[in-house]
Amino acid sequence: MYRLKRKSGLNSRVLTISTDAIDKFKLLNLQDSEVVDLKDKHKDVVADFDHLNIQITNLISMFLALSDQKANQVMKVLAIYSVYFLPITFIAGLYGMNFDNMPELHTKHGYFYTLGVMGLIVIITFIYARRKQW
């Protein structure tokens, strides 16, 4: 797309510069209608290239907007996953420390209680995200 835009811009500049050469066709003793037709065709081609430049710019902008939208969707998914795993990571990090005075460490099923709390947090987070329609 950028290559096409560059070529179109170059052609548009060449056509704009050639306007002076078109005006010199009057010196060739051509009929006035032929010179006017040539000028009209030249203006049409310049207008076509200007329109092409605008369309290419719009296409490039649309492509960039779509790629930004895809990146935003990926970031949204990553943010949702981090919402799920942040509390669990906190609990796992807390229990990963070498504290001996946590009451759950000395109970028979303390490990399973902790896993249950982690699962409950994930379920509550899931329900909250669904209600907010994330």
mmCIF file of all heavy atoms in Angstrom, residues 91-123:
data_model
loop_
_atom_site.group_PDB
_atom_site.id
_atom_site.type_symbol
_atom_site.label_atom_id
_atom_site.label_comp_id
_atom_site.label_asym_id
_atom_site.label_seq_id
_atom_site.Cartn_x
_atom_site.Cartn_y
_atom_site.Cartn_z
ATOM 1 N N ILE A 91 -2.278 -15.536 46.812
ATOM 2 C CA ILE A 91 -2.430 -16.586 47.832
ATOM 3 C C ILE A 91 -1.277 -17.581 47.740
ATOM 4 O O ILE A 91 -0.702 -17.983 48.764
ATOM 5 C CB ILE A 91 -3.794 -17.287 47.685
ATOM 6 C CG1 ILE A 91 -4.923 -16.313 48.024
ATOM 7 C CG2 ILE A 91 -3.876 -18.521 48.570
ATOM 8 C CD1 ILE A 91 -6.300 -16.836 47.696
ATOM 9 N N ALA A 92 -0.921 -17.983 46.522
ATOM 10 C CA ALA A 92 0.180 -18.936 46.357
ATOM 11 C C ALA A 92 1.493 -18.324 46.837
ATOM 12 O O ALA A 92 2.313 -19.008 47.463
ATOM 13 C CB ALA A 92 0.297 -19.347 44.894
ATOM 14 N N GLY A 93 1.709 -17.038 46.570
ATOM 15 C CA GLY A 93 2.923 -16.389 47.038
ATOM 16 C C GLY A 93 2.967 -16.281 48.552
ATOM 17 O O GLY A 93 4.016 -16.443 49.173
ATOM 18 N N LEU A 94 1.816 -16.029 49.154
ATOM 19 C CA LEU A 94 1.744 -15.927 50.606
ATOM 20 C C LEU A 94 2.043 -17.277 51.261
ATOM 21 O O LEU A 94 2.786 -17.359 52.231
ATOM 22 C CB LEU A 94 0.364 -15.426 51.024
ATOM 23 C CG LEU A 94 0.181 -15.013 52.461
ATOM 24 C CD1 LEU A 94 1.074 -13.825 52.767
ATOM 25 C CD2 LEU A 94 -1.272 -14.669 52.714
ATOM 26 N N TYR A 95 1.487 -18.323 50.698
ATOM 27 C CA TYR A 95 1.728 -19.651 51.263
ATOM 28 C C TYR A 95 3.094 -20.207 50.888
ATOM 29 O O TYR A 95 3.564 -21.162 51.488
ATOM 30 C CB TYR A 95 0.621 -20.620 50.846
ATOM 31 C CG TYR A 95 -0.574 -20.510 51.738
ATOM 32 C CD1 TYR A 95 -1.589 -19.599 51.462
ATOM 33 C CD2 TYR A 95 -0.680 -21.288 52.871
ATOM 34 C CE1 TYR A 95 -2.682 -19.479 52.290
ATOM 35 C CE2 TYR A 95 -1.769 -21.172 53.713
ATOM 36 C CZ TYR A 95 -2.759 -20.270 53.415
ATOM 37 O OH TYR A 95 -3.834 -20.142 54.236
ATOM 38 N N GLY A 96 3.717 -19.605 49.884
ATOM 39 C CA GLY A 96 5.057 -20.042 49.509
ATOM 40 C C GLY A 96 6.127 -19.536 50.455
ATOM 41 O O GLY A 96 7.256 -20.010 50.447
ATOM 42 N N MET A 97 5.778 -18.565 51.292
ATOM 43 C CA MET A 97 6.747 -18.058 52.270
ATOM 44 C C MET A 97 6.884 -19.060 53.411
ATOM 45 O O MET A 97 6.002 -19.864 53.660
ATOM 46 C CB MET A 97 6.277 -16.703 52.807
ATOM 47 C CG MET A 97 6.213 -15.634 51.767
ATOM 48 S SD MET A 97 5.668 -14.120 52.536
ATOM 49 C CE MET A 97 5.473 -13.109 51.110
ATOM 50 N N ASN A 98 7.962 -18.991 54.092
ATOM 51 C CA ASN A 98 8.242 -19.961 55.152
ATOM 52 C C ASN A 98 7.738 -19.472 56.510
ATOM 53 O O ASN A 98 8.497 -19.290 57.449
ATOM 54 C CB ASN A 98 9.748 -20.244 55.216
ATOM 55 C CG ASN A 98 10.211 -20.987 54.000
ATOM 56 O OD1 ASN A 98 9.468 -21.800 53.465
ATOM 57 N ND2 ASN A 98 11.417 -20.715 53.558
ATOM 58 N N PHE A 99 6.422 -19.272 56.620
ATOM 59 C CA PHE A 99 5.837 -18.919 57.902
ATOM 60 C C PHE A 99 5.366 -20.192 58.576
ATOM 61 O O PHE A 99 4.822 -21.084 57.945
ATOM 62 C CB PHE A 99 4.637 -17.977 57.723
ATOM 63 C CG PHE A 99 5.016 -16.615 57.220
ATOM 64 C CD1 PHE A 99 4.359 -16.068 56.132
ATOM 65 C CD2 PHE A 99 6.007 -15.874 57.833
ATOM 66 C CE1 PHE A 99 4.687 -14.815 55.682
ATOM 67 C CE2 PHE A 99 6.347 -14.612 57.379
ATOM 68 C CZ PHE A 99 5.686 -14.086 56.296
ATOM 69 N N ASP A 100 5.541 -20.247 59.851
ATOM 70 C CA ASP A 100 5.102 -21.435 60.581
ATOM 71 C C ASP A 100 3.832 -21.151 61.372
ATOM 72 O O ASP A 100 3.180 -22.073 61.847
ATOM 73 C CB ASP A 100 6.219 -21.892 61.540
ATOM 74 C CG ASP A 100 5.935 -23.268 62.098
ATOM 75 O OD1 ASP A 100 5.416 -24.112 61.326
ATOM 76 O OD2 ASP A 100 6.223 -23.487 63.283
ATOM 77 N N ASN A 101 3.436 -19.893 61.473
ATOM 78 C CA ASN A 101 2.303 -19.569 62.323
ATOM 79 C C ASN A 101 0.991 -19.383 61.540
ATOM 80 O O ASN A 101 0.099 -18.691 61.992
ATOM 81 C CB ASN A 101 2.606 -18.302 63.144
ATOM 82 C CG ASN A 101 2.984 -17.134 62.264
ATOM 83 O OD1 ASN A 101 3.047 -17.258 61.061
ATOM 84 N ND2 ASN A 101 3.252 -15.995 62.886
ATOM 85 N N MET A 102 0.863 -19.987 60.398
ATOM 86 C CA MET A 102 -0.409 -19.984 59.671
ATOM 87 C C MET A 102 -1.221 -21.165 60.156
ATOM 88 O O MET A 102 -0.758 -22.308 60.099
ATOM 89 C CB MET A 102 -0.178 -20.092 58.169
ATOM 90 C CG MET A 102 0.463 -18.874 57.567
ATOM 91 S SD MET A 102 0.574 -19.111 55.816
ATOM 92 C CE MET A 102 1.206 -17.559 55.314
ATOM 93 N N PRO A 103 -2.433 -20.919 60.616
ATOM 94 C CA PRO A 103 -3.204 -22.016 61.198
ATOM 95 C C PRO A 103 -3.567 -23.103 60.182
ATOM 96 O O PRO A 103 -3.712 -24.257 60.554
ATOM 97 C CB PRO A 103 -4.455 -21.335 61.742
ATOM 98 C CG PRO A 103 -4.488 -19.982 61.164
ATOM 99 C CD PRO A 103 -3.121 -19.648 60.705
ATOM 100 N N GLU A 104 -3.676 -22.747 58.926
ATOM 101 C CA GLU A 104 -4.054 -23.757 57.935
ATOM 102 C C GLU A 104 -2.947 -24.780 57.689
ATOM 103 O O GLU A 104 -3.199 -25.872 57.214
ATOM 104 C CB GLU A 104 -4.401 -23.080 56.589
ATOM 105 C CG GLU A 104 -5.618 -22.200 56.637
ATOM 106 C CD GLU A 104 -5.291 -20.788 57.096
ATOM 107 O OE1 GLU A 104 -4.111 -20.398 57.082
ATOM 108 O OE2 GLU A 104 -6.224 -20.088 57.498
ATOM 109 N N LEU A 105 -1.715 -24.426 58.015
ATOM 110 C CA LEU A 105 -0.608 -25.338 57.778
ATOM 111 C C LEU A 105 -0.636 -26.541 58.726
ATOM 112 O O LEU A 105 -0.130 -27.607 58.393
ATOM 113 C CB LEU A 105 0.733 -24.603 57.926
ATOM 114 C CG LEU A 105 1.031 -23.544 56.865
ATOM 115 C CD1 LEU A 105 2.356 -22.863 57.178
ATOM 116 C CD2 LEU A 105 1.069 -24.156 55.482
ATOM 117 N N HIS A 106 -1.240 -26.376 59.887
ATOM 118 C CA HIS A 106 -1.227 -27.449 60.870
ATOM 119 C C HIS A 106 -2.545 -28.217 60.916
ATOM 120 O O HIS A 106 -2.683 -29.126 61.721
ATOM 121 C CB HIS A 106 -0.892 -26.872 62.260
ATOM 122 C CG HIS A 106 0.459 -26.213 62.283
ATOM 123 N ND1 HIS A 106 1.629 -26.921 62.166
ATOM 124 C CD2 HIS A 106 0.807 -24.909 62.385
ATOM 125 C CE1 HIS A 106 2.648 -26.084 62.204
ATOM 126 N NE2 HIS A 106 2.172 -24.851 62.336
ATOM 127 N N THR A 107 -3.508 -27.839 60.073
ATOM 128 C CA THR A 107 -4.757 -28.617 60.038
ATOM 129 C C THR A 107 -4.604 -29.737 59.036
ATOM 130 O O THR A 107 -3.758 -29.703 58.133
ATOM 131 C CB THR A 107 -5.952 -27.728 59.643
ATOM 132 O OG1 THR A 107 -5.716 -27.173 58.362
ATOM 133 C CG2 THR A 107 -6.164 -26.616 60.645
ATOM 134 N N LYS A 108 -5.468 -30.751 59.178
ATOM 135 C CA LYS A 108 -5.352 -31.945 58.358
ATOM 136 C C LYS A 108 -5.629 -31.648 56.877
ATOM 137 O O LYS A 108 -4.950 -32.152 55.999
ATOM 138 C CB LYS A 108 -6.319 -33.005 58.885
ATOM 139 C CG LYS A 108 -6.206 -34.318 58.159
ATOM 140 C CD LYS A 108 -7.095 -35.354 58.800
ATOM 141 C CE LYS A 108 -6.957 -36.665 58.072
ATOM 142 N NZ LYS A 108 -7.819 -37.693 58.611
ATOM 143 N N HIS A 109 -6.623 -30.789 56.602
ATOM 144 C CA HIS A 109 -7.016 -30.517 55.223
ATOM 145 C C HIS A 109 -6.767 -29.053 54.836
ATOM 146 O O HIS A 109 -7.460 -28.499 53.987
ATOM 147 C CB HIS A 109 -8.502 -30.852 55.024
ATOM 148 C CG HIS A 109 -8.836 -32.269 55.320
ATOM 149 N ND1 HIS A 109 -8.440 -33.299 54.506
ATOM 150 C CD2 HIS A 109 -9.522 -32.844 56.347
ATOM 151 C CE1 HIS A 109 -8.871 -34.442 55.003
ATOM 152 N NE2 HIS A 109 -9.532 -34.188 56.133
ATOM 153 N N GLY A 110 -5.786 -28.431 55.424
ATOM 154 C CA GLY A 110 -5.500 -27.017 55.166
ATOM 155 C C GLY A 110 -5.138 -26.739 53.710
ATOM 156 O O GLY A 110 -5.519 -25.719 53.130
ATOM 157 N N TYR A 111 -4.403 -27.665 53.112
ATOM 158 C CA TYR A 111 -4.021 -27.514 51.702
ATOM 159 C C TYR A 111 -5.265 -27.498 50.814
ATOM 160 O O TYR A 111 -5.386 -26.665 49.910
ATOM 161 C CB TYR A 111 -3.073 -28.652 51.312
ATOM 162 C CG TYR A 111 -2.665 -28.652 49.869
ATOM 163 C CD1 TYR A 111 -1.753 -27.718 49.397
ATOM 164 C CD2 TYR A 111 -3.181 -29.582 48.978
ATOM 165 C CE1 TYR A 111 -1.365 -27.710 48.066
ATOM 166 C CE2 TYR A 111 -2.798 -29.582 47.653
ATOM 167 C CZ TYR A 111 -1.897 -28.648 47.202
ATOM 168 O OH TYR A 111 -1.511 -28.642 45.888
ATOM 169 N N PHE A 112 -6.205 -28.362 51.068
ATOM 170 C CA PHE A 112 -7.417 -28.446 50.258
ATOM 171 C C PHE A 112 -8.333 -27.244 50.498
ATOM 172 O O PHE A 112 -9.025 -26.790 49.587
ATOM 173 C CB PHE A 112 -8.145 -29.760 50.521
ATOM 174 C CG PHE A 112 -7.312 -30.951 50.158
ATOM 175 C CD1 PHE A 112 -6.777 -31.765 51.148
ATOM 176 C CD2 PHE A 112 -7.045 -31.242 48.828
ATOM 177 C CE1 PHE A 112 -5.999 -32.853 50.813
ATOM 178 C CE2 PHE A 112 -6.270 -32.335 48.485
ATOM 179 C CZ PHE A 112 -5.745 -33.144 49.481
ATOM 180 N N TYR A 113 -8.329 -26.732 51.738
ATOM 181 C CA TYR A 113 -9.092 -25.515 52.008
ATOM 182 C C TYR A 113 -8.543 -24.349 51.185
ATOM 183 O O TYR A 113 -9.307 -23.564 50.616
ATOM 184 C CB TYR A 113 -9.049 -25.149 53.499
ATOM 185 C CG TYR A 113 -9.764 -26.118 54.401
ATOM 186 C CD1 TYR A 113 -9.297 -26.354 55.688
ATOM 187 C CD2 TYR A 113 -10.906 -26.791 53.989
ATOM 188 C CE1 TYR A 113 -9.938 -27.240 56.535
ATOM 189 C CE2 TYR A 113 -11.556 -27.674 54.823
ATOM 190 C CZ TYR A 113 -11.063 -27.900 56.092
ATOM 191 O OH TYR A 113 -11.706 -28.780 56.924
ATOM 192 N N THR A 114 -7.235 -24.266 51.130
ATOM 193 C CA THR A 114 -6.611 -23.192 50.354
ATOM 194 C C THR A 114 -6.937 -23.330 48.872
ATOM 195 O O THR A 114 -7.258 -22.343 48.199
ATOM 196 C CB THR A 114 -5.085 -23.205 50.565
ATOM 197 O OG1 THR A 114 -4.805 -23.123 51.964
ATOM 198 C CG2 THR A 114 -4.437 -22.033 49.861
ATOM 199 N N LEU A 115 -6.878 -24.545 48.351
ATOM 200 C CA LEU A 115 -7.256 -24.760 46.944
ATOM 201 C C LEU A 115 -8.727 -24.426 46.720
ATOM 202 O O LEU A 115 -9.095 -23.873 45.674
ATOM 203 C CB LEU A 115 -6.975 -26.211 46.527
ATOM 204 C CG LEU A 115 -5.514 -26.603 46.347
ATOM 205 C CD1 LEU A 115 -5.415 -28.074 45.985
ATOM 206 C CD2 LEU A 115 -4.863 -25.754 45.284
ATOM 207 N N GLY A 116 -9.561 -24.747 47.684
ATOM 208 C CA GLY A 116 -10.985 -24.417 47.574
ATOM 209 C C GLY A 116 -11.215 -22.916 47.553
ATOM 210 O O GLY A 116 -12.041 -22.410 46.785
ATOM 211 N N VAL A 117 -10.477 -22.177 48.397
ATOM 212 C CA VAL A 117 -10.599 -20.713 48.402
ATOM 213 C C VAL A 117 -10.133 -20.146 47.060
ATOM 214 O O VAL A 117 -10.772 -19.235 46.500
ATOM 215 C CB VAL A 117 -9.805 -20.105 49.578
ATOM 216 C CG1 VAL A 117 -9.680 -18.602 49.433
ATOM 217 C CG2 VAL A 117 -10.458 -20.450 50.894
ATOM 218 N N MET A 118 -9.065 -20.701 46.533
ATOM 219 C CA MET A 118 -8.594 -20.247 45.219
ATOM 220 C C MET A 118 -9.651 -20.505 44.144
ATOM 221 O O MET A 118 -9.927 -19.644 43.303
ATOM 222 C CB MET A 118 -7.287 -20.946 44.851
ATOM 223 C CG MET A 118 -6.096 -20.502 45.615
ATOM 224 S SD MET A 118 -4.657 -21.414 45.034
ATOM 225 C CE MET A 118 -3.416 -20.841 46.135
ATOM 226 N N GLY A 119 -10.237 -21.677 44.147
ATOM 227 C CA GLY A 119 -11.293 -22.000 43.179
ATOM 228 C C GLY A 119 -12.507 -21.107 43.354
ATOM 229 O O GLY A 119 -13.116 -20.672 42.367
ATOM 230 N N LEU A 120 -12.863 -20.843 44.606
ATOM 231 C CA LEU A 120 -14.002 -19.958 44.873
ATOM 232 C C LEU A 120 -13.736 -18.547 44.353
ATOM 233 O O LEU A 120 -14.630 -17.908 43.783
ATOM 234 C CB LEU A 120 -14.286 -19.934 46.381
ATOM 235 C CG LEU A 120 -15.507 -19.140 46.823
ATOM 236 C CD1 LEU A 120 -16.778 -19.804 46.287
ATOM 237 C CD2 LEU A 120 -15.553 -19.066 48.337
ATOM 238 N N ILE A 121 -12.529 -18.067 44.510
ATOM 239 C CA ILE A 121 -12.176 -16.743 43.995
ATOM 240 C C ILE A 121 -12.295 -16.710 42.475
ATOM 241 O O ILE A 121 -12.815 -15.747 41.900
ATOM 242 C CB ILE A 121 -10.758 -16.340 44.462
ATOM 243 C CG1 ILE A 121 -10.769 -16.032 45.950
ATOM 244 C CG2 ILE A 121 -10.230 -15.148 43.667
ATOM 245 C CD1 ILE A 121 -9.399 -15.795 46.543
ATOM 246 N N VAL A 122 -11.851 -17.772 41.810
ATOM 247 C CA VAL A 122 -11.962 -17.832 40.350
ATOM 248 C C VAL A 122 -13.424 -17.832 39.926
ATOM 249 O O VAL A 122 -13.827 -17.120 38.992
ATOM 250 C CB VAL A 122 -11.221 -19.066 39.795
ATOM 251 C CG1 VAL A 122 -11.560 -19.296 38.336
ATOM 252 C CG2 VAL A 122 -9.730 -18.906 39.966
ATOM 253 N N ILE A 123 -14.255 -18.583 40.612
ATOM 254 C CA ILE A 123 -15.684 -18.643 40.274
ATOM 255 C C ILE A 123 -16.355 -17.293 40.501
ATOM 256 O O ILE A 123 -17.124 -16.817 39.660
ATOM 257 C CB ILE A 123 -16.372 -19.773 41.070
ATOM 258 C CG1 ILE A 123 -15.890 -21.133 40.576
ATOM 259 C CG2 ILE A 123 -17.884 -19.678 40.952
ATOM 260 C CD1 ILE A 123 -16.317 -22.291 41.439
#
